[in-house]
Amino acid sequence: KGESRQDFGRLIAPLNAKYIVLFKSADYDTYGFLYKQNDLELVFEGKTIALFRNTHPTARAYLVNSVVPLKDLEEYLQVSEGQNTLEHLYVLDSNAKYDSKSFSSGGVLAQPSVTERSLVSLSIETPDKGYLVLTLPQHTVREGWEYQGKSPIFNLGMMPAFQVSQGSLSITLSPFYRLHAPLYALAVVSLALTALIYWRWR
């Protein structure tokens, strides 16, 4: 529905999309609607790419107290009309029930402090309780993140979110510790044994 929208930047703000790069390849004319958006600023255009800046605020992580169940992304276009899309957690499940009553009122409660301890572990300081929405870098998988052993809810079906308490918390990519780390350790031990055998029989 790009041709009928002029607020694309607002709609993608929950993805922490600060910039959009349009590569001028075979079908790039399909994305001509980007030039017509009121909330995208064209900051560079060359022969092969165009770069747009989203004028809406974005965040690596944010805390909300409101959950909006949706049946699909079409409904997202309708219910978010004219709203700050960082004020709610949008869940693609129209039958879902979530606890929003125990949180203080208001849209965005706060922006937590996020420290990337590694590619598979995040340390987060939350100034309030609520639903923590994380926006992950493009090189990071979205499946497998956990908080206190619990799997995430997905904001717009894309970004992990967790119901959290105030204070310090840790969110980890559990498959790394359960599967990948042991395999890496096994590979290192095997390599060391191979080197030792080679050295002894040389």
Side-chain angles (χ1 to χ4, degrees), residues 61-68 86-91 96-104 107-110 112 126 128-134 152-155 160-165 169 171:
Y62 54 98
L63 207 60
V64 300
N65 62 15
S66 171
V67 182
V68 180
L86 299 186
E87 291 186 352
H88 309 282
L89 168 58
Y90 296 95
V91 180
K97 303 294 181 185
Y98 295 99
D99 178 20
S100 298
K101 297 178 182 178
S102 63
F103 305 131
S104 57
V108 178
L109 299 178
T126 57
D128 202 345
K129 62 181 180 179
Y131 287 98
L132 172 71
V133 182
L134 291 174
I153 310 162
F154 286 102
N155 188 40
F162 301 89
Q163 185 173 344
V164 299
S165 301
L169 53 100
I171 294 178

Side-chain angles (χ1 to χ4, degrees), residues 3-196:
E3 293 297 334
S4 64
R5 309 293 310 192
Q6 293 184 315
D7 58 349
F8 188 68
R10 180 183 67 84
L11 293 171
I12 62 171
L15 306 181
N16 195 27
K18 299 177 184 179
Y19 294 92
I20 299 171
V21 180
L22 175 62
F23 292 93
K24 296 183 178 181
S25 55
D27 65 341
Y28 85 95
D29 287 338
T30 307
Y31 302 94
F33 66 87
L34 293 173
Y35 291 90
K36 303 173 185 176
Q37 302 303 305
N38 293 331
D39 51 12
L40 296 183
E41 177 189 358
L42 181 64
V43 294
F44 174 80
E45 183 160 28
K47 292 183 178 180
T48 57
I49 66 168
L51 176 65
F52 300 86
R53 184 178 66 85
N54 189 352
T55 61
H56 283 276
T58 59
R60 172 74 191 277
Y62 54 98
L63 207 60
V64 300
N65 62 15
S66 171
V67 182
V68 180
L70 305 170
K71 61 182 179 182
D72 52 31
L73 288 174
E74 175 73 28
E75 191 175 13
Y76 170 61
L77 295 178
Q78 298 168 10
V79 302
S80 69
E81 192 70 42
Q83 295 188 32
N84 177 356
T85 49
L86 299 186
E87 291 186 352
H88 309 282
L89 168 58
Y90 296 95
V91 180
L92 297 180
D93 182 355
S94 58
N95 298 315
K97 303 294 181 185
Y98 295 99
D99 178 20
S100 298
K101 297 178 182 178
S102 63
F103 305 131
S104 57
S105 60
V108 178
L109 299 178
Q111 287 196 6
S113 169
V114 180
T115 303
E116 190 174 293
R117 292 189 301 215
S118 69
L119 291 177
V120 296
S121 179
L122 302 174
S123 178
I124 301 174
E125 291 287 335
T126 57
D128 202 345
K129 62 181 180 179
Y131 287 98
L132 172 71
V133 182
L134 291 174
T135 58
L136 300 172
Q138 289 178 314
H139 64 269
T140 307
V141 297
R142 70 183 186 95
E143 302 287 349
W145 291 91
E146 288 187 357
Y147 167 62
Q148 295 183 340
K150 296 179 181 178
S151 298
I153 310 162
F154 286 102
N155 188 40
L156 294 172
M158 302 176 201
M159 299 297 178
F162 301 89
Q163 185 173 344
V164 299
S165 301
Q166 179 181 5
S168 300
L169 53 100
S170 178
I171 294 178
T172 58
L173 187 61
S174 57
F176 176 82
Y177 294 102
R178 293 176 185 166
L179 177 63
H180 297 213
L183 290 176
Y184 288 148
L186 181 62
V188 169
V189 170
S190 300
L191 184 61
L193 287 174
T194 302
L196 179 62

